[in-house]
Amino acid sequence: MYSEVVDRIAAADDDAIAHRLRELEAKRREVEAETAVVLGELDRRKVYRVDGHASMWGLLRVSVGWSDRECKERMWVARLLERFCDAGEALLDTRASIANVTEIARAHANPRCGDEIEAVIGTLLNEAGRREFDDLKIIVRQWERQADSDGALKDTETNHANRNAHVITWNGVGQAAAQWGELDGLANQEVFDQFVQTEWLADWEATVAVHGDAACKSLMPRTDAQRRADAITRIFQTASSSPPGSRAPEPIVNVHIDHHTFADMMVVAELFPGRNVDPFEPPGGLVTDRRCATDTGHPVDPQTVFQLMVESYIRFVIHDEQGVPIRWGRKRRLFTGAARDAVMSQSCRCTHPGCRVRARRSQADHTTDYSRGGHTDPANGGPRCLRHNLLKNHGYATTRDPRGNWHTYRPDSSEIC
Ligand SMILES: [Zn+2]
């Protein structure tokens, strides 16, 4: 009975409920692995033909009531597991989450480069076992961009050709929708983000003025959605109040790029001579060390980066093998200016596990506290949101391993994961 389950959970203590969640998730992963095997076998035997279905989707819609999205994602996973036993192991031994394996399966289903995933599948599955979904997604999309460079270039051109916009008011609702190619998209997004940030700061200051130390997001006068809408209105108002013919300031787009990708990009542009390729290096380099993305982690096509570079409103932050941008030797108490930018560029968001506060709304934090001898140096810094920066005063600690991954420990030294 459902009510018995409700009563049992309500009676359990916090640790027991958290433990039960992990148990249930382990079961889901095992079930997902077995479901993939069942789907693969049904597909191979073409069982769907018996009732006149053209593919597995027809059978699944009718016999198990799945949505088209479920049919698509489950079949992606079935095909991935059919080809790579290790992917099945990662699910069955509950190491990798369903979302992470599905993301790899999606890339595997990409008709233009899915076949080439064999070269990096081991690394991707390894990362799937220890990363949050958002981080794994960046790695997978980065690999896809690299493996499918012709397709990405074609997409870039097609997306620019298909640019479109509407501003309409109908039935009492005003609406705006626009799409651009990547180049204009990145520049416009930067302007939009700056306006949204201005609205956010105005709200935050107003909230602190009224509530003081008790100020928190839920007390802010507008929602994120309302601030985004007001930011668009402000952009239109600012544009209409500028004198005709006045020159707009060029937006600065931060692009974070590893030095291998940067060198490859310059070779393609014939600005650097060809570089020697290490015969033991996997094709395309180690996927996790490659990076060509905006502040928010959105992968950018190196071709677009090159165009941005030519148009000169780009700022490069080139990272070394550990993902640390630059060393700053001078001893300073606070991360400011370029040192602050370098700290913030080490993660797209607050480094506390599971937190989604963007780096630009976080504080540049000393990983090892200044009071405990930590240097004011980008290698000893990372973005932490207000809440999680304060948590460090309660015995929580953050470290960064040599591969550039962040770890957060509870006061009893156990890791949050
Ligand atoms: Zn946080």
Side-chain angles (χ1 to χ4, degrees):
M1 289 275 284
Y2 175 69
S3 59
E4 285 169 17
V5 177
V6 173
D7 292 344
R8 178 163 48 81
I9 299 297
D13 66 21
D14 294 357
D15 283 350
I17 304 179
H19 180 70
R20 184 66 187 141
L21 176 68
R22 284 193 291 275
E23 274 181 353
L24 290 170
E25 173 59 18
K27 272 192 198 168
R28 279 185 71 220
R29 294 179 189 186
E30 286 166 17
V31 168
E32 181 75 11
E34 189 172 340
T35 306
V37 177
V38 168
L39 292 178
E41 193 59 28
L42 286 171
D43 193 24
R44 200 178 57 76
R45 296 186 193 184
K46 299 195 172 14
V47 173
Y48 53 84
R49 285 187 175 172
V50 176
D51 285 336
H53 301 302
S55 72
M56 282 293 289
W57 285 38
L59 177 100
L60 296 171
R61 284 185 198 120
V62 175
S63 69
V64 281
W66 285 356
S67 66
D68 283 2
R69 189 189 173 91
E70 281 178 296
C71 294
K72 183 166 68 179
E73 292 188 350
R74 300 284 77 76
M75 290 309 297
W76 282 344
V77 172
R79 300 214 166 99
L80 179 79
L81 267 60
E82 205 165 32
R83 187 167 164 209
F84 302 107
C85 223
D86 286 355
E89 291 292 346
L91 268 180
L92 197 63
D93 68 18
T94 74
R95 219 178 334 131
S97 71
I98 297 171
N100 282 2
V101 173
T102 306
E103 173 62 13
I104 297 173
R106 185 199 55 72
H108 175 241
N110 181 335
R112 292 193 301 243
C113 63
D115 273 352
E116 296 166 37
I117 211 168
E118 193 165 9
V120 293
I121 189 74
T123 312
L124 292 180
L125 287 172
N126 207 2
E127 298 299 326
R130 54 196 198 88
R131 288 192 188 258
E132 287 178 29
F133 173 73
D134 284 11
D135 297 336
L136 180 86
K137 189 169 133 188
I138 290 171
I139 293 173
V140 173
R141 307 270 160 141
Q142 202 86 57
W143 170 78
E144 253 178 315
R145 281 266 178 173
Q146 222 178 298
D148 182 23
S149 53
D150 288 352
L153 181 60
K154 217 176 286 163
D155 285 349
T156 304
E157 287 164 359
T158 311
N159 293 342
H160 180 63
N162 290 342
R163 63 194 183 278
N164 195 355
H166 305 276
V167 179
I168 53 167
T169 305
W170 192 75
N171 223 5
V173 181
Q175 287 192 329
Q179 67 173 56
W180 307 274
E182 192 172 41
L183 193 65
D184 290 341
L186 280 170
N188 293 346
Q189 192 188 333
E190 184 58 33
V191 173
F192 176 66
D193 285 351
Q194 280 177 18
F195 273 80
V196 172
Q197 176 73 354
T198 306
E199 300 296 318
W200 191 90
L201 285 172
D203 272 12
W204 182 246
E205 275 170 24
T207 313
V208 171
V210 175
H211 300 280
D213 285 350
C216 63
K217 207 180 158 196
S218 60
L219 292 170
M220 288 167 88
R222 289 177 293 176
T223 63
D224 281 342
Q226 289 170 336
R227 278 190 292 273
R228 287 197 299 273
D230 291 348
I232 297 268
T233 305
R234 194 61 65 96
I235 289 172
F236 284 148
Q237 285 171 346
T238 308
S240 62
S241 59
S242 314
S246 61
R247 204 176 134 80
E250 287 171 341
I252 290 184
V253 177
N254 285 336
V255 172
H256 304 273
I257 191 164
D258 70 277
H259 60 277
H260 290 304
T261 304
F262 182 78
D264 287 349
M265 192 181 81
M266 300 306 270
V267 171
V268 170
E270 296 179 357
L271 292 173
F272 280 8
R275 73 185 180 99
N276 294 329
V277 177
D278 176 355
F280 297 105
E281 192 180 325
L286 280 171
V287 274
T288 52
D289 295 337
R290 290 285 179 145
R291 188 176 186 193
C292 184
T294 61
D295 284 335
T296 51
H298 175 84
V300 187
D301 183 29
Q303 286 284 341
T304 302
V305 173
F306 192 74
Q307 274 177 282
L308 280 165
M309 207 168 78
V310 172
E311 302 204 11
S312 81
Y313 46 65
I314 191 165
R315 176 161 66 183
F316 278 111
V317 187
I318 302 175
H319 296 245
D320 70 8
E321 254 116 31
Q322 277 76 46
V324 177
I326 295 165
R327 281 196 76 85
W328 288 77
R330 270 197 302 164
K331 202 171 174 181
R332 273 175 298 192
R333 175 70 178 85
L334 289 170
F335 288 115
T336 54
R340 183 175 191 281
D341 290 352
V343 167
M344 301 312 244
S345 74
Q346 296 189 59
S347 177
C348 313
R349 49 170 207 258
C350 165
T351 55
H352 193 86
C355 185
R356 290 292 176 275
V357 175
R358 283 187 180 189
R360 67 171 61 194
R361 283 202 198 139
S362 300
Q363 302 172 334
D365 171 51
H366 288 81
T367 305
T368 300
D369 257 3
Y370 189 74
S371 58
R372 290 185 195 161
H375 292 280
T376 297
D377 171 334
N380 182 40
R384 299 278 286 182
C385 72
L386 187 64
R387 169 197 289 263
H388 292 126
N389 208 1
L390 290 173
L391 206 60
K392 286 185 71 186
N393 300 336
H394 295 90
Y396 287 78
T398 306
T399 62
R400 185 184 161 92
D401 68 26
R403 290 192 54 81
N405 300 313
W406 294 93
H407 305 273
T408 300
Y409 299 90
R410 302 184 184 94
D412 67 3
S413 303
S414 61
E415 183 171 3
I416 300 179
C417 57

